[in-house]
Amino acid sequence: MANMNRDGFGSRFGVLVAVAGSAVGLGNLWRFPYLVGNNGGAAFIIIYLLFVILLCLPIMFSEFIIGRRTQANVFGAINKLAPKSPFIIIGIISVAASISIMSFYSVVGGWTLEYIFKSFSPQFLTADSANLANQFSGFSSASFMPVVMHLLFLGLSALIVVAGIKNGIEKYSKILMPALFVLVLLLAVRSITLDGAGAGIRFLFYPDFSKITGETLLAALGQAFFSLSLGMGCIITYGSYVNRKENLFKISLMTAAADTGFAILAGLAVMPAVFAFGIPPGQGPSLVFITLPQIFAQLPFGNLFSVAFFFILFIAAITSAISLLEVIVAYFTEELKLTRKAAVIIAFTIIGTFGTLSSLSNGVLKDVTIFGKTFFDLFDYASSNIFLPVGGLLVVLFVGWRMKRADVLDELSSGGAVAVKSFVFRWVMLIIKFVAPIAITIVLLNSIGLIKLF
Ligand code: PHE
């Protein structure tokens, strides 16, 4: 039932860089280092790794299975496998989550662009953290520039997506991902060779388990979901462009390894420098926009490092943004029969508008709140605390309980071409049917406050 006219990835390398491009993003380079800083370092990393291996990998297989089996967008995929079933809600959540994530992600993407430009200016870098904090809040609360930058970031993402899978997403990921790797590696080398970097390295690799609380566990699980792009149809959509012969196990393993590798590299680029300059590691979200420039100011060629760093953030963000856009665009083109161009224009208009509200909510609209949250916080909160866990839960329930076991095995083994050991398959099914749904339910109930862990 393969559709010969459907666009798709042209090579295994293309699949890998595109999926890794989706996974590696602001989640790794901006969120992971500050979560590690806030949650006591190495112990958090170990728990994060356990969640990735035990829970997230099987969820990733599940999403790839749904996508590749059906070669369709999220709505089409669920409709093909289970016509008229309530599981179609997975499609609704996916599109809603893509819009919601993009509505704040694209604003932060705009900040990275602004900071690339700022980094060229000699006045920008200063060792005075109050000055840097003022620069950041002054910029992000303004009404004009951040909106322009958000629209510029969104527009660049739209240009890549409009070109399609092979000639857009795959082509640009092939260039951007290796560049990203080299740049992060260089920055990590610079950071770990600073005098006094040892304390930062110890912080990353010597666990202090007394720091672990229920909150830490939840932060680690939420982060693993967000970072691996799970629970909102991204991997289903990209999976639908994967060739029938590819080994889904291998792709998932390599994606998880690349994503985690980037997170650790980001930790190595940030923490040793933070410690070497005696800055407290638990600075929260401002770590990257305020603390790092403070460090760059004290390095020779600081402006160069600053430009490189914000360029890295920008690349990581845009290769994730295109995967979020593709979820919406695939739905519009295949279900609503729009042309790709029209689909991208409509997605741009919707996200452009919500993103503008979310950007302005850091300034003039800061008093407009819904459920006590500004637009920016609401989009962020709704995505990671509601859409992703609910979406992930429904996906594992769907693959575990609704799809035929034989079909799942057929997909995992790529129609018999790949040998899947029976104990591996049983382990995967056990997690998909029981462990993952229970674990996600606990996280979900906890995050909306219905139960309190520990
Ligand atoms: N994984 C991306 C990151 O770490 C964010 C993302 C989430 C992308 C969900 C797609 C889907 O930044």
Side-chain angles (χ1 to χ4, degrees):
M1 92 187 143
N3 178 351
M4 299 309 281
N5 296 322
R6 202 164 180 270
D7 201 356
F9 294 117
S11 66
R12 170 174 300 173
F13 181 66
V15 176
L16 284 173
V17 284
V19 182
S22 169
V24 177
L26 295 170
N28 307 57
L29 300 162
W30 166 59
R31 230 166 159 252
F32 186 80
Y34 85 70
L35 282 176
V36 170
N38 284 351
N39 290 288
F44 176 86
I45 298 183
I46 293 177
I47 292 173
Y48 176 84
L49 288 178
L50 283 177
F51 283 151
V52 168
I53 296 166
L54 292 175
L55 280 179
C56 292
L57 267 176
I59 299 175
M60 192 176 273
F61 300 152
S62 302
E63 293 206 14
F64 268 126
I65 287 170
I66 297 177
R68 193 183 53 186
R69 184 105 198 134
T70 54
Q71 311 270 295
N73 71 92
V74 188
F75 275 86
I78 302 296
N79 258 336
K80 274 190 190 172
L81 292 170
K84 300 206 169 50
S85 92
F87 276 107
I88 199 65
I89 196 168
I90 294 175
I92 299 169
I93 289 183
S94 296
V95 173
S98 304
I99 293 174
S100 173
I101 295 179
M102 272 304 275
S103 299
F104 73 92
Y105 209 85
S106 165
V107 173
V108 182
W111 296 349
T112 66
L113 278 175
E114 168 74 14
Y115 268 67
I116 297 176
F117 301 136
K118 255 182 186 303
S119 300
F120 284 104
S121 134
Q123 289 93 317
F124 162 58
L125 289 183
T126 151
D128 172 4
S129 61
N131 177 327
L132 286 163
N134 278 339
Q135 290 198 51
F136 180 63
S137 61
F139 163 70
S140 59
S141 64
S143 299
F144 186 67
M145 270 328 260
V147 174
V148 171
M149 289 299 170
H150 144 62
L151 294 175
L152 179 61
F153 178 86
L154 182 59
L156 291 172
S157 317
L159 282 180
I160 297 181
V161 172
V162 91
I165 305 304
K166 234 186 245 83
N167 298 323
I169 292 176
E170 177 172 357
K171 181 168 141 199
Y172 287 95
S173 302
K174 274 182 178 164
I175 305 167
L176 293 173
M177 289 310 287
L180 180 64
F181 178 66
V182 173
L183 284 171
V184 181
L185 199 64
L186 285 178
L187 210 66
V189 169
R190 170 68 279 212
S191 181
I192 55 185
T193 50
L194 288 169
D195 278 343
I201 297 172
R202 250 191 311 284
F203 180 74
L204 286 171
F205 295 114
Y206 286 89
D208 173 0
F209 284 104
S210 68
K211 295 259 170 59
I212 300 295
T213 63
E215 297 282 305
T216 319
L217 295 183
L218 298 173
L221 188 64
Q223 172 64 10
F225 254 83
F226 187 81
S227 192
L228 288 169
S229 307
L230 295 175
M232 43 77 56
C234 240
I235 303 295
I236 297 182
T237 308
Y238 272 18
S240 77
Y241 301 122
V242 173
N243 185 302
R244 287 250 176 254
K245 290 191 282 293
E246 290 298 343
N247 179 341
L248 296 181
F249 260 124
K250 229 191 216 157
I251 294 176
S252 305
L253 280 176
M254 290 172 91
T255 305
D259 188 63
T260 310
F262 264 101
I264 307 269
L265 263 184
L268 279 172
V270 173
M271 281 308 160
V274 163
F275 277 79
F277 288 98
I279 293 165
Q283 298 273 298
S286 67
L287 191 67
V288 154
F289 289 98
I290 299 174
T291 309
L292 286 187
Q294 191 185 347
I295 293 171
F296 297 141
Q298 301 173 60
L299 289 177
F301 307 111
N303 285 75
L304 201 67
F305 282 107
S306 188
V307 172
F309 180 76
F310 289 108
F311 187 61
I312 289 174
L313 269 190
F314 164 71
I315 296 179
I318 199 162
T319 49
S320 299
I322 55 181
S323 72
L324 287 156
L325 268 183
E326 182 58 29
V327 172
I328 310 170
V329 169
Y331 162 64
F332 282 168
T333 51
E334 291 173 10
E335 301 299 305
L336 308 183
K337 308 285 176 231
L338 296 175
T339 62
R340 201 162 174 87
K341 200 163 160 199
V344 171
I345 291 174
I346 295 176
F348 179 91
T349 311
I350 299 174
I351 297 165
T353 309
F354 285 135
T356 299
L357 289 176
S358 129
S359 177
L360 294 178
S361 76
N362 292 312
V364 282
L365 296 185
K366 70 171 175 308
D367 295 325
V368 182
T369 55
I370 301 169
F371 304 119
K373 292 192 184 316
T374 63
F375 286 111
F376 188 101
D377 292 342
L378 185 73
F379 289 127
D380 186 356
Y381 181 88
S383 323
S384 24
N385 292 346
I386 301 171
F387 291 133
L388 298 191
V390 173
L393 176 62
L394 291 173
V395 162
V396 276
L397 289 176
F398 185 75
V399 172
W401 299 91
R402 176 72 204 236
M403 274 184 80
K404 289 195 202 80
R405 210 179 156 91
D407 287 351
V408 176
L409 181 60
D410 185 53
E411 245 348 280
L412 271 186
S413 64
S414 302
V418 177
V420 180
K421 295 212 170 56
S422 76
F423 82 90
V424 174
F425 183 59
R426 258 184 277 133
W427 171 76
V428 169
M429 286 312 281
L430 185 80
I431 293 184
I432 290 177
K433 284 181 104 141
F434 300 101
V435 182
I438 293 170
I440 299 167
T441 306
I442 292 173
V443 176
L444 195 58
L445 293 180
N446 188 83
S447 68
I448 55 176
L450 277 185
I451 56 166
K452 201 81 212 123
L453 283 182
F454 297 89

